[in-house]
Amino acid sequence: MLRRGGKRIRMDDPPEDYEPPFTPYSVQPQTPMDQQSSNLFGGQYGQYNESVSLHYDSATASNMEYDQNFGQVQHSMNVFSSNELEEIPVPTLSSGRGRTTRSSRGRISVTPAGKKGLTAAANSQRVISSPEDTPVPTPSPAPRRRGRPRKNPVMEHSSVEDESTLFCIIRNGKSSLQQIVDEWIEQYKADRDSGLRAIMQFFISASGCKGKITSQMQSSMEHAAIIRRMTEEFDEESGEYPMIMSGPQWKKFRSNFCDFVQTLVKQCQYSIIYDQYLMDNVISLLTGLSDSQVRAFRHTATLAAMKLMTALVDVALTVSIHLDNTSRQYEAERQKTRDKRASDRLEALLAKHQELEENMDEIKNMLTYTFKSVFVHRYRDIVPEIRAICMAEIGIWMKRFPQNFLDDSYLKYIGWTLHDKVGDVRLRCLQALQPLYASEELKGKLELFTSKFKDRVVSMTLDKEYDVAVQAVRLIISIHKYHREILSDKDCEAVYELVFSSHRAVAQAAGEFLNERLFTLDDTTPPALRTHRGKKRLPNTPLIRDLVQFFIESELHEHGAYLVDSLIDSNEMMKDWECMTDLLMEDPGSGEESLDDRQETSLIELMTCCIKQAATGEPPVGRGPTRKITTVKETKQAQDDRVRLTEHYIQTLPLLLGKYIADPEKVANLLLIPQYFDMEIYTTSRQEKSLESLLRLMQNVVERHTDTEVLENCAKTLEVLCTEDHAIYSRCDVIRSTLIDGLVNKLREVLDDHATLIAGDEEPNEDEVFALVSSLKKVAIFWSCHNLGPWNLWDPLFNAVREAKDLIRSMPPEAIKYCISACYSAILWELLQLENGSGRGTSAAQQQKQLRDHLDAYIPLMTELVITSNVALFREEAYISVCDLLISFCKQLEDNPLLRPLVYEPDRGLQQTLNDFIQTYVFVEEEDEEHDEHTKIEELHKRRSYLSSFCKLVVYNVLPIKTAADVFRHYVKYYNDYGDIIKTTLGKAREINKVSCARTMILSLSVLFRDLSRDTGSRIDRQSEEFVSVKELAKRFALSFGLDALKNREAITALHRDAILFATNPLENPNDPTGPPPNLAFLEIGAEFTNKLLKQDKRMVLQFLDRILTMGMPSSRGEEWQPLLLYRNSLVHGETDLPPQTARRAYGRRRRDAGGDDGEIVDDNDDAGSDQDFVGY
């Protein structure tokens, strides 16, 4: 490696803020590749040098981008000097006209007669050694002249593209590459100059250059001069070239381009590549092009050079095989006795062996030269696609030709580039390493690299690019297989945690690592034990025990579904139902530990999650795409899994419920299992007794438990069992009726007892209150899943709520909450019953009248509770109930004549009530009181639920869009808590009506502006934090319109109209008659939307503004008029025909009246025609 004062430079990992330096090789020192074995541990993994950092091109569109600082290196950043560098010999190849000779070692050198040589390459390999530590500046290219370029006598132009060129033939794709190469070889054999010119022209044309290389240019100009001439032929107006152009044709061309280069070398591998003409010139040209300032040349040449090296690696492998075969044949012949030995054969084999060795040396020289001339400089190019190409190809070389490339002097480039700032480049690095670590034969050559870069690879498992993180985890798995001792427990724990990642691919990759490290049976696994009654434990028993322990130690007990999803596709133990139930049911045998309570609870939770995912085939919420199309194979797999788990749990579930019936947490999970059964198996397999046993246990659970989750799961499971389509419906319906009879009778009893106590002025004791609350809770929960209408509970429950509102001595608040919930469920069941025509003994008209009466009584009562109640439980339950009922009874019911009279439209008072609720209880600052994190999350979840209920009313068009103005105005301030909800509402509102949505945005901004005016007085400080925050909200709104100005044309013009009307209403300034309108500063906020206007609409908006301010621009340019100037300038930007008009007065006056209470501006006196003209746009 490079030395400083004779001392090896220690080179460790690049710093964290690593940014790949990109250096033109005309000023970059060489990296010697000859010191391979001697410097492995001293300098091969030294500090990555970032000092020289010259960028070829900026991020502009043109592919003709010249860096102004090309060839100049700041003195302070120089690290190379004349007394610090060793002179490094670099093997060179001859160009076309020079004669190349081979030395006895197969090295290639240029004879003095060579005229062209590798001029560009030689320039690029110069070592900086001037006394001032600065390189000799490279002359910058001559500036392009504008207009039509003058014709050059040696340059041929053709108005019609020649379809016979290699580029056109390969681009059109009508011939096979094999045929194209064969035809070119015939051409080359006939005239190698024309054949070489065709190849050179192919690379030039593939770069997007229209220039044409003539025979005169080929014979009289060096490659560097040819490249400069081709550079002048580029079209500067376009930034596209074939390697980056979109479309199926160019995608196919890129593939054919790579295949052509490799096929060409393959077909020429036995003679032409050794003729010291073709490869020398091709490599020379590609080296020069890869150093070009033109991105298209650099990109195309780098790809070609890298593919060329890959093809040469394949040739080297072929030569190596022939060399080995020849050596064996020679040794076999030499081992023969003298009388049987053929001396002429020995001589022939020896000559062949020497020729193959020379060929191998020549190929290695080509590889080494191309690597140093192209790869060493381009692997840190400014263009990420070029860097990615280099990383992808070097991985191929290492895999195919490890004896030459799998060396630390090459591996270091991958290690350094692991720190690249572009995700795709990092991904290519990991993909290059993956096959190397997956091969046990190569493990010995990776030890030093692994020890140096292992920490970086582990940290990449948390990469922000998920594809990179997945590949990093897979690489860690390979490292674990063959370098287990290198990974520490801390490294492994970092990967363990990823099984709970929200990204499914990352989590499943981490699950594979978990399987490899923890959940794999091996020779060290103890023999299977037996249970207490002698049943042999299944093989997965120890693995499931480890899984349970891992889940407990992870301390993420609410995310069992995520852990299951990470492992279920890669480990069969996740569907080993018998093994799981044996662990729960069977008593432990000798030498076996029993599961403690926590382990049993965790195992039941994991088992339930496994059952749910196996039966549905769906990942948990928050993982996977929102709209996944299930394949036929996945559907079949889910059906088979459902049948298998049903056959097993039909018999074992009643036993599990019986064992754990006293534990609410375990029972809550076990009660979910029947929801995923194939119910037909109850009858086809004659399991009616198991069904009766399950139903009896469920009755017992309802009687014994009051836990909300247990009751909800039981009610839901009973609903699934009582589906009318199932053959078991009649049996389940009988049990359901019996169970509900018991609940209702118990409720009537406790209601009577409570009424008696209240009538006698007695206070109910704790047991009586508990009985009342628990009975109401059970009825309310079961009413949400089952129709309890026939039991006539509406009147007592609704009266209880009414008494609570009237502050009459009533039930406890929690009991009233369940009464509200039960009445809400009753209304929904009545609607469903009327819709399905399933009422028993009553006509449709009677059902309709009863439902309307209940609705008209319930919603006003709930509205009053939201306004007046001091009890949070009442307010919250009433608010949610009203929001949900308004959606259920919206205008969609009008499609059904029977349901049309039931449509309930909220009046302005109800709209205001709902809005006031969310402004008071949702958009609140975080309290400073010390709450634990769990409580804060629960409170945030509740507030998000309230906001979602309100926004649904807007999305479903129950409330007008403008009622969302008070929600939109909080978009920026509460972005972290509610940004996703508000953004979705904004998008849905735009789908309903673009214009109304745009006007609502201005309304929300005007509300904030009014609040700001009220707080700060008549003069608004436009530099204040509050005003800047309003502008930031306007920017967010403007971004939401996207890039299609034509699609949003009408909405944007309406938005500007409202902004202008608000800013100029009133025109009179009550504090200063000669001053600007008091709201004029609002125009600065409106200016955030002007870039969304079409050019012609800007004129219309400007004309409208001038009509409002009749005398045009003010003569005074004071600070208070700056918003108008700014807004007007944003409208006339790029226009030359709309000069600002200076008014004699500060502004013209027209009488305006403020609008109504909805915040809109009423324009009474404006000319109707002018407004009509504006609206047309």
Side-chain angles (χ1 to χ4, degrees):
M1 298 303 295
L2 295 174
R3 302 190 181 195
R4 185 173 295 184
K7 182 180 178 182
R8 290 195 182 101
I9 304 172
R10 190 64 186 165
M11 299 169 63
D12 293 321
D13 297 340
E16 293 181 3
D17 58 347
Y18 163 80
E19 181 174 5
F22 311 106
T23 311
Y25 71 79
S26 58
V27 294
Q28 179 182 349
Q30 290 300 296
T31 303
M33 303 306 298
D34 299 335
Q35 308 170 8
Q36 294 183 2
S37 58
S38 61
N39 285 350
L40 286 185
F41 299 93
Q44 295 297 341
Y45 291 103
Q47 180 62 46
Y48 188 93
N49 198 325
E50 296 187 59
S51 302
V52 183
S53 178
L54 294 181
H55 290 200
Y56 274 112
D57 49 4
S58 61
T60 58
S62 176
N63 57 12
M64 280 287 297
E65 304 164 44
Y66 295 99
D67 194 311
Q68 298 300 319
N69 296 325
F70 181 79
Q72 300 179 6
V73 184
Q74 295 180 8
H75 176 79
S76 60
M77 298 180 67
N78 249 328
V79 293
F80 305 113
S81 63
S82 58
N83 62 346
E84 291 175 340
L85 294 176
E86 298 177 332
E87 191 65 33
I88 301 162
V90 180
T92 59
L93 298 174
S94 72
S95 65
R97 303 186 68 198
R99 175 175 173 78
T100 305
T101 59
R102 298 193 194 184
S103 65
S104 59
R105 294 173 297 172
R107 298 291 181 184
I108 302 175
S109 60
V110 181
T111 64
K115 176 182 177 183
K116 290 198 310 191
L118 293 179
T119 307
N123 289 339
S124 71
Q125 306 300 336
R126 283 202 303 269
V127 178
I128 303 170
S129 58
S130 61
E132 296 78 18
D133 285 342
T134 55
V136 179
T138 303
S140 59
R144 290 289 303 267
R145 296 178 178 175
R146 294 190 178 275
R148 178 179 296 178
R150 65 181 179 86
K151 290 188 177 181
N152 193 295
V154 297
M155 185 70 63
E156 296 179 7
H157 292 278
S158 175
S159 59
V160 179
E161 195 171 19
D162 186 359
E163 293 294 328
S164 64
T165 62
L166 281 175
F167 171 73
C168 293
I169 294 171
I170 294 174
R171 181 195 62 190
N172 296 336
K174 294 181 180 179
S175 303
S176 69
L177 292 177
Q178 185 74 40
Q179 179 185 351
I180 296 171
V181 170
D182 290 342
E183 291 175 355
W184 176 87
I185 290 175
E186 293 301 322
Q187 177 188 359
Y188 183 81
K189 288 179 179 178
D191 182 359
R192 70 177 190 174
D193 286 336
S194 67
L196 175 62
R197 188 166 63 252
I199 290 292
M200 294 171 66
Q201 184 66 56
F202 170 69
F203 290 129
I204 295 295
S205 299
S207 302
C209 178
K210 302 298 184 183
K212 186 175 180 182
I213 301 175
T214 65
S215 57
Q216 181 183 357
M217 292 169 60
Q218 183 185 14
S219 61
S220 64
M221 298 174 66
E222 297 180 350
H223 288 156
I226 292 175
I227 293 171
R228 282 196 296 270
R229 181 65 55 80
M230 294 298 105
T231 300
E232 296 173 1
E233 292 301 308
F234 256 108
D235 178 14
E236 295 187 34
E237 300 301 321
S238 171
E240 291 196 331
Y241 51 95
M243 291 302 145
I244 63 171
M245 290 172 72
S246 59
Q249 180 188 19
W250 296 113
K251 182 179 179 181
K252 179 67 174 175
F253 171 76
R254 287 190 288 273
S255 174
N256 287 340
F257 177 88
C258 300
D259 293 343
F260 172 76
V261 173
Q262 294 181 288
T263 305
L264 179 68
V265 174
K266 180 181 178 182
Q267 293 298 100
C268 300
Q269 64 178 315
Y270 296 109
S271 60
I272 296 179
I273 65 170
Y274 305 112
D275 70 356
Q276 302 169 28
Y277 180 78
L278 174 67
M279 296 303 294
D280 295 0
N281 280 280
V282 167
I283 293 174
S284 172
L285 178 69
L286 293 179
T287 300
L289 288 172
S290 70
D291 187 46
S292 173
Q293 293 171 328
V294 180
R295 179 181 303 193
F297 277 155
R298 222 165 54 249
H299 189 172
T300 307
T302 302
L303 177 60
M306 296 300 99
K307 292 298 180 182
L308 185 70
M309 285 189 67
T310 301
L312 288 173
V313 163
D314 293 337
V315 174
L317 290 176
T318 303
V319 173
S320 177
I321 293 171
H322 290 165
L323 198 57
D324 291 342
N325 291 339
T326 304
S327 297
R328 284 196 301 271
Q329 292 172 2
Y330 178 80
E331 287 299 320
E333 189 68 27
R334 195 172 61 84
Q335 295 297 331
K336 292 180 181 179
T337 58
R338 186 179 297 273
D339 56 337
K340 293 183 179 181
R341 186 186 308 161
S343 58
D344 56 341
R345 178 170 170 75
L346 276 177
E347 291 176 3
L349 288 172
L350 184 60
K352 183 179 179 182
H353 188 273
Q354 290 175 345
E355 182 184 0
L356 289 171
E357 280 187 335
E358 288 185 358
N359 290 346
M360 178 64 80
D361 288 341
E362 188 162 349
I363 291 171
K364 286 184 177 180
N365 279 343
M366 293 179 193
L367 289 171
T368 302
Y369 180 84
T370 309
F371 185 86
K372 290 190 221 178
S373 301
V374 180
F375 180 94
V376 168
H377 309 292
R378 299 283 65 78
Y379 88 97
R380 50 185 185 174
D381 195 282
I382 191 173
V383 180
E385 289 85 355
I386 296 178
R387 305 200 298 273
I389 290 169
C390 294
M391 291 302 108
E393 296 304 313
I394 194 174
I396 296 175
W397 309 334
M398 290 177 176
K399 175 62 178 173
R400 295 183 184 177
F401 200 14
Q403 58 267 37
N404 193 72
F405 285 101
L406 190 55
D407 183 87
D408 293 295
S409 59
Y410 292 94
L411 281 166
K412 64 185 179 184
Y413 295 105
I414 297 181
W416 289 336
T417 315
L418 288 172
H419 296 266
D420 198 281
K421 288 191 174 182
V422 176
D424 187 55
V425 181
R426 298 194 299 272
L427 179 63
R428 296 302 178 92
C429 293
L430 294 172
Q431 289 172 338
L433 293 171
Q434 183 67 43
L436 306 180
Y437 278 101
S439 173
E440 189 169 8
E441 294 79 14
L442 304 178
K443 61 179 292 187
K445 295 189 175 185
L446 293 166
E447 291 179 356
L448 179 59
F449 177 86
T450 307
S451 64
K452 288 288 184 180
F453 293 102
K454 179 260 299 181
D455 291 341
R456 173 58 183 158
V457 174
V458 172
S459 70
M460 291 175 77
T461 59
L462 299 174
D463 199 283
K464 64 180 181 180
E465 302 287 344
Y466 290 124
D467 291 342
V468 178
V470 170
Q471 196 64 42
V473 174
R474 289 177 179 158
L475 187 57
I476 292 291
I477 295 172
S478 297
I479 293 175
H480 180 267
K481 285 182 180 178
Y482 302 114
H483 305 269
R484 184 182 289 256
E485 68 285 351
I486 290 181
L487 291 175
S488 65
D489 290 341
K490 185 178 180 180
D491 296 332
C492 295
E493 287 169 4
V495 183
Y496 292 164
E497 295 173 358
L498 293 176
V499 294
F500 297 102
S501 168
S502 60
H503 192 270
R504 195 173 190 218
V506 174
Q508 289 183 328
E512 293 175 13
F513 177 76
L514 214 58
N515 290 332
E516 182 68 30
R517 181 150 178 106
L518 299 179
F519 303 139
T520 302
L521 295 172
D522 52 29
D523 298 336
T524 61
T525 305
L529 301 174
R530 293 186 178 273
T531 65
H532 181 69
R533 64 186 184 92
K535 182 179 180 180
K536 188 176 181 180
R537 290 288 189 188
L538 295 174
N540 285 325
T541 300
L543 300 183
I544 292 178
R545 283 179 174 270
D546 291 342
L547 175 65
V548 170
Q549 194 60 36
F550 174 84
F551 182 51
I552 293 172
E553 292 175 0
S554 69
E555 298 181 355
L556 291 169
H557 305 144
E558 296 180 357
H559 300 286
Y562 274 31
L563 175 60
V564 167
D565 182 53
S566 302
L567 296 168
I568 196 166
D569 291 336
S570 59
N571 199 318
E572 62 178 9
M573 73 170 174
M574 306 305 288
K575 296 179 184 179
D576 195 340
W577 315 124
E578 184 179 358
C579 184
M580 294 180 187
T581 50
D582 281 354
L583 271 172
L584 293 168
M585 296 296 301
E586 297 285 347
D587 294 329
S590 58
E592 191 178 26
E593 293 184 5
S594 61
L595 297 176
D596 59 27
D597 181 70
R598 190 177 181 187
Q599 289 173 329
E600 288 178 335
T601 302
S602 299
L603 176 54
I604 290 173
E605 180 180 351
L606 291 174
M607 180 179 72
T608 305
C609 294
C610 289
I611 290 170
K612 178 180 179 181
Q613 185 151 350
T616 62
E618 298 174 357
V621 177
R623 270 204 189 157
T626 53
R627 294 181 180 178
K628 181 188 175 185
I629 300 175
T630 307
T631 63
V632 175
K633 182 179 179 182
E634 290 172 336
T635 303
K636 180 68 166 59
Q637 180 67 46
Q639 290 173 347
D640 294 344
D641 287 338
R642 184 187 288 261
V643 170
R644 279 194 291 271
L645 71 88
T646 304
E647 290 172 346
H648 177 76
Y649 283 101
I650 274 181
Q651 297 182 13
T652 56
L653 182 58
L655 301 176
L656 289 169
L657 279 172
K659 180 177 180 179
Y660 297 111
I661 196 167
D663 190 323
E665 191 173 0
K666 295 184 179 70
V667 169
N669 279 312
L670 291 172
L671 284 172
L672 290 172
I673 295 176
Q675 297 179 21
Y676 308 105
F677 280 179
D678 183 348
M679 299 300 175
E680 299 303 321
I681 295 180
Y682 271 115
T683 52
T684 57
S685 60
R686 305 292 182 89
Q687 292 292 334
E688 289 83 358
K689 289 186 177 180
S690 297
L691 176 62
E692 292 177 2
S693 177
L694 174 64
L695 293 170
R696 282 196 304 271
L697 285 166
M698 291 175 68
Q699 278 184 285
N700 195 359
V701 165
V702 174
E703 292 173 4
R704 297 179 58 167
H705 290 278
T706 58
D707 182 81
T708 302
E709 186 179 7
V710 173
L711 294 173
E712 287 177 346
N713 291 351
C714 189
K716 180 62 180 174
T717 298
L718 188 59
E719 180 186 15
V720 173
L721 291 170
C722 291
T723 304
E724 295 185 9
D725 297 337
H726 295 155
I728 60 174
Y729 168 71
S730 57
R731 291 173 180 268
C732 297
D733 189 46
V734 170
I735 298 296
R736 176 173 64 177
S737 299
T738 305
L739 190 154
I740 293 175
D741 280 338
L743 292 178
V744 172
N745 292 336
K746 178 68 175 176
L747 176 61
R748 293 186 189 280
E749 182 181 333
V750 295
L751 286 175
D752 290 342
D753 292 344
H754 183 267
T756 302
L757 290 173
I758 296 300
D761 291 333
E762 297 182 28
E763 285 289 337
N765 58 34
E766 290 184 5
D767 292 341
E768 291 167 335
V769 170
F770 177 79
L772 175 64
V773 172
S774 61
S775 294
L776 283 169
K777 182 179 186 178
K778 292 176 182 179
V779 167
I781 289 174
F782 269 81
W783 211 332
S784 66
C785 297
H786 307 272
N787 186 9
L788 271 64
W791 280 265
N792 298 320
L793 291 173
W794 170 272
D795 289 337
L797 299 183
F798 185 76
N799 290 334
V801 178
R802 182 180 291 156
E803 291 173 359
K805 186 267 297 184
D806 294 336
L807 301 178
I808 302 173
R809 193 175 181 188
S810 64
M811 301 179 188
E814 191 176 1
I816 298 299
K817 171 192 169 184
Y818 291 121
C819 290
I820 294 174
S821 174
C823 291
Y824 163 78
S825 299
I827 292 175
L828 290 183
W829 276 110
E830 288 176 7
L831 175 62
L832 181 64
Q833 184 175 280
L834 181 60
E835 194 171 0
N836 295 337
S838 56
R840 298 177 183 176
T842 55
S843 64
Q846 291 174 318
Q847 294 179 50
Q848 183 194 85
K849 183 179 183 305
Q850 176 180 305
L851 176 54
R852 186 71 209 192
D853 291 343
H854 288 171
L855 192 63
D856 290 340
Y858 183 80
I859 290 184
L861 179 59
M862 295 302 105
T863 305
E864 196 169 346
L865 282 177
V866 171
I867 297 172
T868 61
S869 178
N870 295 323
V871 182
L873 280 175
F874 294 178
R875 286 196 309 268
E876 293 165 0
E877 192 69 27
Y879 170 80
I880 293 292
S881 299
V882 170
C883 289
D884 289 348
L885 285 177
L886 288 176
I887 290 178
S888 298
F889 290 87
C890 66
K891 293 182 179 179
Q892 292 178 349
L893 296 182
E894 292 180 347
D895 297 337
N896 187 333
L898 184 62
L899 303 179
R900 190 175 298 140
L902 299 175
V903 173
Y904 196 101
E905 296 189 31
D907 56 20
R908 185 177 292 271
L910 179 53
Q911 295 175 19
Q912 191 61 44
T913 298
L914 298 177
N915 186 29
D916 290 345
F917 180 89
I918 61 170
Q919 299 302 321
T920 306
Y921 301 108
V922 174
F923 297 109
V924 293
E925 298 291 342
E926 193 71 37
E927 297 180 359
D928 294 330
E929 299 176 10
E930 294 184 0
H931 292 297
D932 63 340
E933 197 66 26
H934 183 73
T935 304
K936 289 181 179 179
I937 292 174
E938 287 294 323
E939 287 298 316
L940 177 60
H941 179 72
K942 283 173 60 177
R943 294 198 299 270
R944 284 175 59 85
S945 176
Y946 302 151
L947 180 59
S948 298
S949 297
F950 182 86
C951 289
K952 279 192 293 185
L953 296 174
V954 177
V955 169
Y956 286 101
N957 218 10
V958 177
L959 299 181
I961 293 176
K962 68 179 181 181
T963 57
D966 280 336
V967 174
F968 293 166
R969 68 190 177 100
H970 296 293
Y971 185 32
V972 172
K973 185 176 181 181
Y974 292 94
Y975 184 82
N976 291 336
D977 292 341
Y978 316 118
D980 56 334
I981 299 175
I982 299 176
K983 183 178 180 180
T984 302
T985 307
L986 201 58
K988 294 293 185 182
R990 186 178 292 109
E991 291 177 10
I992 296 171
N993 191 313
K994 291 184 177 67
V995 174
S996 294
C997 182
R999 299 185 69 187
T1000 302
M1001 291 178 183
I1002 286 296
L1003 182 58
S1004 62
L1005 292 169
S1006 66
V1007 170
L1008 288 174
F1009 187 86
R1010 281 200 185 98
D1011 293 343
L1012 186 60
S1013 301
R1014 188 167 52 250
D1015 295 340
T1016 60
S1018 59
R1019 181 151 188 151
I1020 292 179
D1021 180 7
R1022 294 185 293 111
Q1023 306 301 323
S1024 65
E1025 183 178 346
E1026 293 79 7
F1027 187 82
V1028 170
S1029 68
V1030 180
K1031 286 183 64 177
E1032 177 62 28
L1033 177 60
K1035 287 180 182 177
R1036 293 287 184 95
F1037 284 160
L1039 287 173
S1040 70
F1041 283 101
L1043 301 175
D1044 192 345
L1046 190 62
K1047 182 175 65 175
N1048 299 302
R1049 185 180 186 185
E1050 185 180 359
I1052 293 294
T1053 51
L1055 180 149
H1056 279 278
R1057 179 182 187 277
D1058 282 5
I1060 293 170
L1061 290 176
F1062 176 79
T1064 57
N1065 184 25
L1067 276 174
E1068 297 284 352
N1069 191 327
N1071 299 321
D1072 182 6
T1074 63
N1079 295 335
L1080 192 69
F1082 190 77
L1083 287 180
E1084 184 170 340
I1085 297 170
E1088 299 294 340
F1089 297 92
T1090 52
N1091 63 339
K1092 299 297 180 182
L1093 283 167
L1094 295 176
K1095 189 175 182 180
Q1096 57 267 39
D1097 290 339
K1098 286 183 178 181
R1099 296 194 190 99
M1100 296 302 300
V1101 172
L1102 188 60
Q1103 292 172 12
F1104 183 75
L1105 176 65
D1106 290 342
R1107 284 201 301 272
I1108 299 295
L1109 299 174
T1110 53
M1111 299 305 294
M1113 295 295 295
S1115 56
S1116 170
R1117 298 297 178 94
E1119 176 65 25
E1120 64 274 13
W1121 289 98
Q1122 287 305 307
L1124 176 59
L1125 297 175
L1126 187 150
Y1127 184 67
R1128 202 175 192 286
N1129 288 338
S1130 68
L1131 291 173
V1132 301
H1133 180 68
E1135 301 286 344
T1136 58
D1137 55 343
L1138 292 170
Q1141 302 172 359
T1142 303
R1144 296 175 184 173
R1145 294 186 297 168
Y1147 54 86
R1149 291 186 174 89
R1150 285 189 181 182
R1151 185 174 61 83
R1152 300 279 176 186
D1153 295 327
D1157 58 0
D1158 61 353
E1160 295 188 8
I1161 299 160
V1162 179
D1163 188 9
D1164 291 332
N1165 300 326
D1166 196 10
D1167 177 60
S1170 63
D1171 270 4
Q1172 188 64 34
D1173 292 342
F1174 185 86
V1175 172
Y1177 286 85

